[in-house]
């Protein structure tokens, strides 16, 4: 560590592959046009084409981006030396993975199945077929999160002892039709990003106390969650998530507060505020030995830059340029185990109050 904190010294991006492979995407949902393809074009990654069982939908998106709309899973899976990008609903991941050639490289949309049992099936498929597969936990690659991780690694916060996630916002769930009737929504599809990031920064917790529930004004299964991750007697970690704060922007929030023994960090995740337009992300650090907060100038935003970094790591691992495949299926399974534990906790009875003597 140098004597003075230099925010410009923090890493915010992932190295690009020297010879990127063509990308074949399965799925033509909004996330592909809003994040995947813009990111891949920005990163200079060639897009071979896409497949979706809704052929009209696939052709429309393919025409917009000037790529091929494949007619079948088999045709898409036959593209030589491709990176297979699964932007499919969690229940469809396994069948697509089974259709890929042995030894293929794949990036799987989160979550890794609807339940831990499906995640285990996906893991077993990847092992049996020797797939080089990762899960698209792209929040780890957002410029603000790469910088935060770097600051922690360089000791600017000391030992992390507190992690608070606070969300009070109005999320437009109607943008994802398949979620409107899904049995698991908030933790499995949204807060899973935060749980995965926390695992990267703090490691696996001993356990979790959680309650997730819906709201009387709509029928989405869960949109509100409170959770405490148990890291023993030193680290406190809590999440307060409310996607039904529909009372104007003034008191809405989407932020993390990370405190260490010698410094602290504040992160604003701007994308989720007025999604999908969003607001600028913010990272501020009160560094070890400092007397005030320092704003870290960010070199990009969560969308699309995190998707650029996520794909860059997959591409570089495939070519041998990166030694580690971040969020590999082996690691991502543990994030799914944490999600499963949170749902089990939510379904279990709370500790009852003592009866009146």
């Amino acid at each position: 560590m140098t004597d003075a904190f230099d925010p410009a010294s923090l890493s915010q991006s992932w190295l690009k592959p020297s010879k990127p492979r063509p990308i074949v995407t399965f799925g033509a949902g909004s996330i592909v046009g809003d994040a995947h393809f813009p990111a891949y074009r920005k990163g200079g990654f060639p897009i071979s084409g896409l497949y979706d069982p809704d052929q009209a939908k696939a052709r429309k998106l393919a025409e917009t981006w000037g790529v091929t709309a494949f007619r079948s899973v088999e045709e898409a899976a036959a593209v030589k030396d491709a990176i297979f990008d699964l932007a499919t609903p969690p229940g469809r991941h396994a069948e697509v993975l089974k259709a890929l050639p042995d030894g293929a490289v794949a990036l799987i949309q989160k979550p890794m199945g609807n339940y831990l049992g499906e995640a285990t099936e996906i893991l077993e498929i990847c092992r049996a077929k020797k797939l080089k597969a990762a899960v698209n936990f792209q929040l780890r690659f957002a410029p603000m999160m790469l910088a935060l991780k770097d600051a922690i690694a360089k000791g600017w916060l000391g030992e992390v002892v507190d992690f608070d996630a606070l969300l009070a916002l109005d999320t437009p769930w109607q943008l994802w039709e398949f979620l409107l009737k899904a049995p698991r929504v908030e933790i499995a599809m949204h807060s899973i990003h935060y749980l995965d990031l926390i695992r990267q920064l703090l490691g696996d917790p001993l356990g979790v106390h959680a309650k997730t529930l819906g709201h009387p004004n709509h029928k989405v299964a869960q949109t509100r969650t409170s959770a405490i991750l148990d890291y023993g007697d030193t680290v406190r970690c809590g999440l307060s998530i409310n996607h039904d704060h529909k009372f104007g922007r003034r008191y809405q929030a989407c932020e993390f507060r990370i405190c260490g023994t010698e410094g602290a960090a504040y992160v604003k995740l701007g994308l989720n505020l007025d999604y999908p337009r969003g607001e600028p992300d913010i990272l501020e650090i009160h560094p070890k030995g400092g007397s005030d907060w320092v704003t870290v100038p960010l070199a990009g935003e969560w969308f699309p830059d995190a998707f650029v970094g996520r794909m860059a790591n997959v591409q570089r691992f495939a070519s041998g340029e990166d030694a580690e495949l971040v969020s590999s299926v082996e690691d991502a399974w543990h994030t799914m185990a944490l999600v499963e534990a949170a749902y089990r906790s939510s379904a279990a009875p709370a500790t009852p109050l003592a009866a009146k003597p």
Side-chain angles (χ1 to χ4, degrees):
M1 183 187 296
T2 58
D3 292 336
F5 173 66
D6 177 11
S9 70
L10 299 177
S11 175
Q12 295 191 36
S13 61
W14 207 268
L15 290 175
K16 303 288 180 59
S18 57
K19 294 181 180 179
R21 298 187 184 189
I23 298 169
V24 172
T25 297
F26 292 89
S30 61
I31 192 67
V32 177
D34 292 343
H36 288 231
F37 283 2
Y40 301 157
R41 283 284 162 83
K42 182 175 182 177
F45 307 133
I47 304 170
S48 177
L50 64 98
Y51 169 76
D52 193 286
D54 186 335
Q55 287 287 287
K57 188 176 180 181
R59 284 194 298 269
K60 182 178 179 180
L61 186 61
E63 288 171 4
T64 299
W65 289 91
V67 301
T68 300
F70 297 111
R71 292 165 295 182
S72 67
V73 170
E74 292 73 22
E75 183 182 12
V79 176
K80 187 178 180 181
D81 294 328
I83 304 293
F84 296 105
D85 179 34
L86 277 64
T88 43
R92 297 288 305 281
H93 295 339
E95 63 182 272
V96 174
L97 291 170
K98 289 176 182 177
L100 300 183
D102 289 357
V105 183
L107 178 60
I108 306 166
Q109 181 61 278
K110 59 80 190 162
M112 189 178 162
N114 289 299
Y115 302 90
L116 187 61
E118 290 183 2
T120 301
E121 179 189 8
I122 287 169
L123 179 60
E124 290 172 346
I125 292 170
C126 292
R127 286 174 172 174
K129 295 177 66 65
K130 294 181 171 56
L131 301 179
K132 300 179 181 70
V135 176
N136 202 348
F137 288 128
Q138 22 70 20
L139 181 58
R140 293 190 183 199
F141 293 87
M144 56 186 166
M145 299 310 178
L146 289 174
L148 171 64
K149 182 174 181 289
D150 197 24
I152 292 172
K154 290 176 176 175
W156 288 113
L157 274 63
E159 180 185 356
V160 175
V161 292
D162 288 288
F163 190 110
D164 290 292
L166 172 63
L167 276 72
L169 39 75
D170 180 10
T171 297
W173 297 104
Q174 69 276 5
L175 294 178
W176 306 279
E177 292 183 11
F178 75 98
L179 291 182
L180 300 182
K181 295 182 180 179
R184 290 183 169 186
V185 178
E186 203 292 309
I187 299 175
M189 301 303 298
H190 187 92
S191 287
I192 188 172
H193 280 302
Y194 314 143
L195 296 176
D196 180 72
L197 180 76
I198 290 167
R199 282 192 58 247
Q200 184 188 41
L201 297 178
L202 301 179
D204 287 317
L206 301 172
V208 59
H209 308 278
K211 182 67 178 180
T212 187
L213 63 163
H215 192 281
N217 286 348
H218 57 71
K219 295 183 179 180
V220 180
Q222 307 95 26
T223 53
R224 298 176 292 160
T225 299
S226 295
I228 299 172
L229 276 60
D230 183 358
Y231 281 99
D233 296 332
T234 302
V235 177
R236 183 188 61 85
C237 180
L239 297 85
S240 178
I241 314 293
N242 179 8
H243 293 272
D244 292 286
H245 197 282
K246 302 181 179 184
F247 309 104
R249 174 65 183 87
R250 184 174 180 180
Y251 293 116
Q252 290 181 345
C254 188
E255 57 195 30
F256 296 164
R257 288 178 172 83
I258 303 97
C259 298
T261 52
E262 299 178 272
Y266 168 85
V267 183
K268 171 186 164 184
L269 295 79
L271 173 70
N272 290 334
L273 298 162
D274 192 25
Y275 185 90
R277 289 181 296 180
E279 299 178 5
D281 296 326
I282 293 174
L283 172 61
E284 295 185 3
I285 293 178
H286 195 296
K288 175 182 178 180
S291 59
D292 203 352
W293 290 89
V294 178
T295 298
V296 177
L298 295 175
E301 303 287 343
W302 183 357
F303 280 37
D305 296 282
F307 289 81
V308 176
R310 170 67 281 185
M311 178 54 72
N313 171 242
V314 173
Q315 294 261 3
R316 286 175 57 86
F317 183 80
S319 66
E321 293 174 284
D322 276 1
E324 178 191 3
L325 181 59
V326 178
S327 297
S328 70
V329 288
E330 299 288 342
D331 177 72
W333 185 91
H334 294 282
T335 294
M336 293 299 298
L338 178 53
V339 167
E340 191 73 24
Y343 277 108
R344 290 202 309 269
S345 175
S346 183
T351 302
L353 304 183
K356 187 176 180 180

